[in-house]
Amino acid sequence: MIIGVGIDVAEIDRFGHSLMRTPQMRERLFVAAELLLPDGERRGIASLAARFAAKEALAKALGAPGGLRWTDAEVYVEDSGRPRLRVSGTVAARAAELGVSAWHVSLSHDAGVASAVVIAEG
């Protein structure tokens, strides 16, 4: 059963400028593993913007309650290339309240826009 669906978009250049203006945003929005590629290189702005869109979409799928921490949701990629969500803390608590047992996430970035769709399943 679908409990919630969220979608979000982020303008890549605007997101990048925000990160440049406020460097501490990276640590407020992302866990350390999200900032780096598997080879240890820094992840590109388009990829970070898509991950941010996924976190926004996740919040919408949960009914957009206040008090969720950005770093209580992690977007990671399986070896197969499939994006996944790992939740903890405030996000896991809200998901448990709603009966969420599985997440589905899709990320994209093209033509200067990053987008994400998240489905919460119970």
Side-chain angles (χ1 to χ4, degrees):
M1 173 175 76
I2 294 176
I3 292 174
V5 176
I7 185 170
D8 196 69
V9 298
E11 186 180 338
I12 295 168
D13 285 344
R14 183 175 178 209
F15 184 75
H17 290 302
S18 294
L19 289 180
M20 286 174 38
R21 272 193 319 273
T22 314
Q24 64 271 28
M25 265 180 63
R26 287 177 191 264
E27 286 72 38
R28 284 198 326 249
L29 297 177
F30 304 107
V31 300
E34 290 175 302
L35 296 171
L36 300 175
L37 294 166
D39 64 4
E41 292 291 317
R42 287 180 69 141
R43 193 171 297 280
I45 295 300
S47 181
L48 290 177
R51 281 163 169 72
F52 176 70
K55 292 178 183 214
E56 286 275 358
L58 169 74
K60 292 173 183 176
L62 293 176
L68 298 180
R69 291 187 45 187
W70 296 109
T71 54
D72 285 347
E74 177 187 355
V75 180
Y76 68 98
V77 178
E78 292 179 337
D79 290 340
S80 66
R82 181 180 182 183
R84 305 287 290 169
L85 288 169
R86 184 177 294 127
V87 299
S88 62
T90 59
V91 176
R94 177 62 177 166
E97 283 176 22
L98 297 174
V100 176
S101 59
W103 299 100
H104 305 276
V105 60
S106 180
L107 308 174
S108 185
H109 45 81
D110 190 25
V113 176
S115 62
V117 175
V118 171
I119 299 172
E121 182 181 356

